[in-house]
Amino acid sequence: MSSTLVISILVGLIVLVLLVGAPIKPMRIVGQGVVKLAIGVLFLFFLNVFGGAIGLHIPINLFTTTIAGFLGVFGLASLTAIHIFLIV
């Protein structure tokens, strides 16, 4: 497939969604998931910043971000406990 055809199809789909309207419920679910992942990244970032003083570092990747984002503070605490008791 040529890049012109792919771009044409994508532009056509975008115009179709703008004219017809996106389904509300799936877009809301995707939006909430993205927000939770962003919150997970922030949780992990601040844990790494403040935990660096005591040698605590949890990598920021899709798995840890999903755990911290969807489970919140309890997920962050469980990742910390796994790091302290199992890894180190």
Side-chain angles (χ1 to χ4, degrees), residues 47-58 83-84 88:
L47 177 72
N48 287 334
V49 167
F50 296 121
I54 59 171
L56 181 65
H57 173 74
I58 297 175
H83 177 74
I84 290 172
V88 175

Side-chain angles (χ1 to χ4, degrees), residues 4-75:
T4 308
L5 181 64
V6 172
I7 292 173
S8 303
I9 291 172
L10 289 176
V11 169
L13 287 174
I14 290 172
V15 169
L16 181 68
V17 167
L18 288 174
L19 292 176
V20 174
I24 299 299
K25 187 153 179 108
M27 295 303 286
R28 183 177 299 150
I29 292 171
V30 169
Q32 288 174 349
V34 168
V35 168
K36 288 186 181 208
L37 288 177
I39 290 171
V41 167
L42 288 175
F43 277 165
L44 290 171
F45 173 75
F46 285 119
L47 177 72
N48 287 334
V49 167
F50 296 121
I54 59 171
L56 181 65
H57 173 74
I58 297 175
I60 299 175
N61 55 35
L62 186 61
F63 178 73
T64 57
T65 301
T66 304
I67 298 281
F70 284 98
L71 296 180
V73 176
F74 298 111

